């Protein structure tokens, strides 16, 4: 699909992540005004609350866009999602008769503060990238036992904390936890020394379900996608994860990008999942291209210094799609809610430069990476800013998500010191 031309001039720039083809959904505020829904177009934000109040947008329910979240729109279902997107394109396309009414409702993005675009109902994180799972398994169990026996049959995941999901730009405090090194007789309580990121995509469930759903039904239920950074305290994780898996090591924070890119905007970039080494059971089998060709990268900037790109990979590297993850999530009858967030799992490629975590990039700290500033990193140091970016590239345009950024602050004083 070629670039769709808009009367908003900046939306036609080949470098903008927000052309008319995209139209991602976010929440913004300006000055003392309350946060409300907005749509990114070029370097502007369309004030959806103003458009609704003026009668330019009508989805049959009142006050959808004056709310500081998109959950109410999600609950209207796919037909309403399609109608909204069609109306937005009509309003913003080159030659639109609505230009005179809409133009005063555009807010320069540089004047806006971005907020969480949704209320996260529940959060589940998966472990569905084969290169990542193989790398981590090799480090801890040896190459011959890298993948657990179930890994090629089901997307493995754990239920995380919706309460600690934050929007890009939120500072992240280094966590305290119980640590036990290989040479320690007993654990100790201390700040994490092996704090890490995980480069992921997040899928947002838009349509609730009450029982098992198919992979196709799961794909239909997904509202959109965000970039996701699953901050991970590897030393806390190493001590706590057996036998029940991640807990406090993953509870500090999960950062998402500020714009929800709709599934419709990503449809031209669909690709198949990789060939299957083991045939999946019928309820998890692919029913069409369910992954997306989205280029991803990570930069690390020490405090006050220039950023270095430390990883480049692609979402198409995943072994399981978000639709398969969601379908698997429902097999027990587990209800899913509008606003549920599913983390893809770390997205790593086959090459060392495509590894989506510092755990992999430094091979457990044994092979530190060198930044362009000359400094070395095995894990994140205080003051480091980590930035995740992603874009699907079309004919003369790209579909972006906005940056997913977090700066790590020093650990607080001992919270139990009296």
């Amino acid at each position: 699909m070629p670039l769709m031309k808009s009367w908003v001039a900046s939306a036609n720039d080949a470098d903008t992540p927000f052309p008319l083809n995209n139209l991602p959904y976010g929440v913004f505020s300006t000055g003392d005004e309350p946060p409300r829904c907005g749509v990114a177009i070029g370097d502007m934000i369309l004030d959806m609350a103003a458009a609704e109040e003026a009668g330019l947008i009508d989805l049959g329910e009142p006050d959808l866009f004056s709310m500081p979240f998109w959950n109410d729109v999600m609950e209207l279902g796919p037909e309403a999602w399609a109608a909204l997107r069609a109306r937005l394109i009509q309003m913003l396309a080159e030659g639109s008769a609505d230009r005179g009414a809409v133009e005063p409702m555009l807010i320069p993005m540089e004047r806006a503060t971005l907020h969480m675009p949704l209320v996260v109902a529940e959060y589940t994180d998966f472990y569905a990238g084969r290169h990542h799972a193989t790398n981590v398994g090799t480090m801890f169990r040896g190459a011959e036992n890298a993948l657990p026996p179930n890994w090629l049959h089901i997307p493995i995941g754990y239920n995380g904390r919706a309460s600690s999901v934050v929007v890009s730009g939120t500072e992240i405090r280094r966590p305290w936890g119980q640590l036990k090194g290989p040479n320690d007789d007993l654990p100790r309580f201390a700040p994490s020394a092996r704090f890490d990121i995980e480069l992921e995509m997040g899928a947002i469930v838009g349509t609730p379900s009450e029982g098992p759903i198919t992979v196709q039904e799961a794909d239909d239920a997904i509202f959109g996608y965000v970039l996701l950074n699953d901050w991970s305290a590897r030393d806390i994780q190493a001590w706590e994860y057996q036998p029940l898996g991640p807990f406090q090591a993953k509870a500090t924070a999960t950062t998402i990008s500020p714009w929800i890119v709709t599934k419709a905007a990503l449809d031209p970039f669909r690709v198949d999942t990789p060939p299957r080494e083991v045939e999946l059971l019928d309820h998890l089998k692919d029913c069409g291209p369910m992954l997306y060709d989205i280029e991803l990268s990570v930069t690390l900037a020490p405090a006050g210094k220039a950023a270095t790109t430390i990883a480049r990979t692609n979402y198409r590297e995943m072994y399981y799609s978000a639709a398969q993850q969601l379908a698997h999530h429902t097999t027990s009858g587990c209800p899913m809610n509008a606003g549920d967030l599913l983390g893809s799992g770390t997205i790593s490629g086959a090459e060392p430069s495509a590894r989506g975590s510092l755990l992999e990039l430094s091979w457990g700290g044994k092979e530190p990476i060198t930044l362009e500033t000359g400094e070395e990193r095995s894990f994140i140091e205080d003051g480091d800013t980590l930035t995740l970016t992603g874009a699907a590239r079309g004919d003369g345009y790209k579909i972006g998500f906005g940056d997913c950024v977090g700066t790590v602050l020093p650990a607080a004083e001992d919270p139990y010191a009296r």
Side-chain angles (χ1 to χ4, degrees):
M1 177 184 293
L3 171 69
M4 300 165 62
K5 291 293 186 72
S6 171
W7 55 260
V8 181
S10 59
N12 302 323
D13 188 328
D15 291 328
T16 181
F18 308 126
L20 186 60
N21 302 62
N22 193 349
L23 301 178
Y25 302 150
V27 169
F28 77 104
S29 63
T30 52
D32 296 329
E33 295 182 352
R36 60 229 187 249
C37 292
V39 173
I41 176 74
D43 59 5
M44 309 293 281
I45 299 174
L46 173 61
D47 187 333
M48 291 295 288
E52 181 181 49
E53 186 177 0
L56 292 168
I57 300 283
D58 185 2
L59 295 182
E61 297 286 341
D63 300 323
L64 286 172
F65 302 106
S66 60
M67 299 292 103
F69 46 74
W70 281 82
N71 298 59
D72 291 348
V73 176
M74 296 179 205
E75 292 180 358
L76 296 180
E79 289 187 10
W81 307 344
L84 174 59
R85 180 172 172 82
R87 177 59 181 140
L88 288 169
I89 292 173
Q90 181 185 44
M91 290 164 52
L92 295 166
E94 190 175 61
S96 172
D98 296 305
R99 176 173 180 173
V102 173
E103 199 159 12
M105 300 172 184
L106 293 178
I107 310 296
M109 203 169 288
E110 62 185 13
R111 287 178 41 203
T113 299
L114 300 179
H115 303 271
M116 279 287 293
L118 75 158
V119 175
V120 178
E122 306 278 358
Y123 168 52
T124 301
D125 191 37
F126 285 87
Y127 184 57
R130 184 165 187 175
H131 294 297
H132 172 71
T134 300
N135 288 337
V136 173
T138 298
M139 274 184 254
F140 294 127
R141 293 183 297 274
E144 66 282 359
N145 297 308
L147 292 179
N150 58 356
W151 200 93
L152 294 172
H153 298 271
I154 56 172
I156 297 171
Y158 68 92
N159 288 315
R161 293 291 301 173
S163 62
S164 58
V165 179
V166 297
V167 74
S168 174
T170 304
E171 294 176 325
I172 308 300
R173 181 73 66 177
R174 182 179 297 275
W176 285 74
Q178 195 171 116
L179 317 175
K180 183 181 181 299
N183 299 320
D184 295 335
D185 292 330
L186 294 171
R188 67 190 190 283
F189 188 67
S192 170
R194 294 164 67 90
F195 201 43
D196 198 3
I197 61 157
E198 291 191 342
L199 168 60
E200 303 191 23
M201 295 290 298
I204 297 169
V205 178
T207 303
S209 61
E210 291 295 332
I213 61 176
T214 66
V215 172
Q216 183 60 62
E217 289 169 336
D219 188 63
D220 293 340
I222 293 173
F223 181 67
Y225 290 82
V226 293
L227 302 177
L228 185 149
N229 182 354
D230 176 28
W231 300 91
S232 302
R234 300 300 186 185
D235 37 9
I236 297 173
Q237 183 178 0
W239 174 234
E240 75 174 3
Y241 86 101
Q242 300 184 59
L244 293 182
F247 184 42
Q248 292 301 87
K250 302 280 193 170
T252 300
T254 300
T255 302
I256 64 170
S257 52
W259 297 103
I260 302 171
V261 175
T262 64
K263 190 173 53 183
L266 291 171
D267 269 346
F269 307 98
R270 284 182 178 264
V271 293
D272 291 317
T273 49
R276 302 295 173 189
E277 182 176 320
V278 176
E279 187 174 2
L280 297 174
L281 296 181
D282 287 345
H283 69 283
L284 283 179
K285 285 183 178 178
D286 298 287
C287 55
M290 295 289 178
L291 282 178
Y292 300 95
D293 182 1
I294 301 173
E295 297 173 359
L296 301 165
S297 65
V298 181
T299 66
L300 188 157
K305 297 183 180 180
T308 298
T309 298
I310 61 173
R312 295 185 187 276
T313 186
N314 195 297
Y315 185 43
R316 69 187 304 161
E317 295 285 355
M318 297 306 298
Y319 193 79
Y320 295 101
S321 68
Q324 289 170 313
Q325 293 169 345
L326 176 55
H328 177 62
H329 209 321
T330 69
T331 53
S332 65
C334 173
M336 303 302 293
N337 306 305
D340 280 354
L341 176 65
L342 307 182
S344 63
T346 305
I347 306 167
S348 295
E351 300 300 319
S353 61
R355 295 170 179 169
S357 67
L358 281 161
L359 176 67
E360 296 168 86
L361 287 165
S362 71
W363 206 251
K366 297 176 181 178
E367 302 171 9
I369 61 172
T370 302
L371 307 179
E372 292 177 5
T373 59
E375 297 166 81
E376 291 188 341
R377 288 291 186 276
S378 294
F379 293 95
I380 301 168
E381 296 189 7
D382 294 343
D384 287 350
T385 297
L386 281 300
T387 301
L388 279 54
T389 59
R393 299 190 181 274
D395 182 8
Y397 69 96
K398 63 182 179 181
I399 302 293
F401 297 78
D403 292 346
C404 181
V405 184
T407 299
V408 174
L409 302 179
E413 295 183 6
D414 186 345
Y416 297 107
R418 296 290 189 266

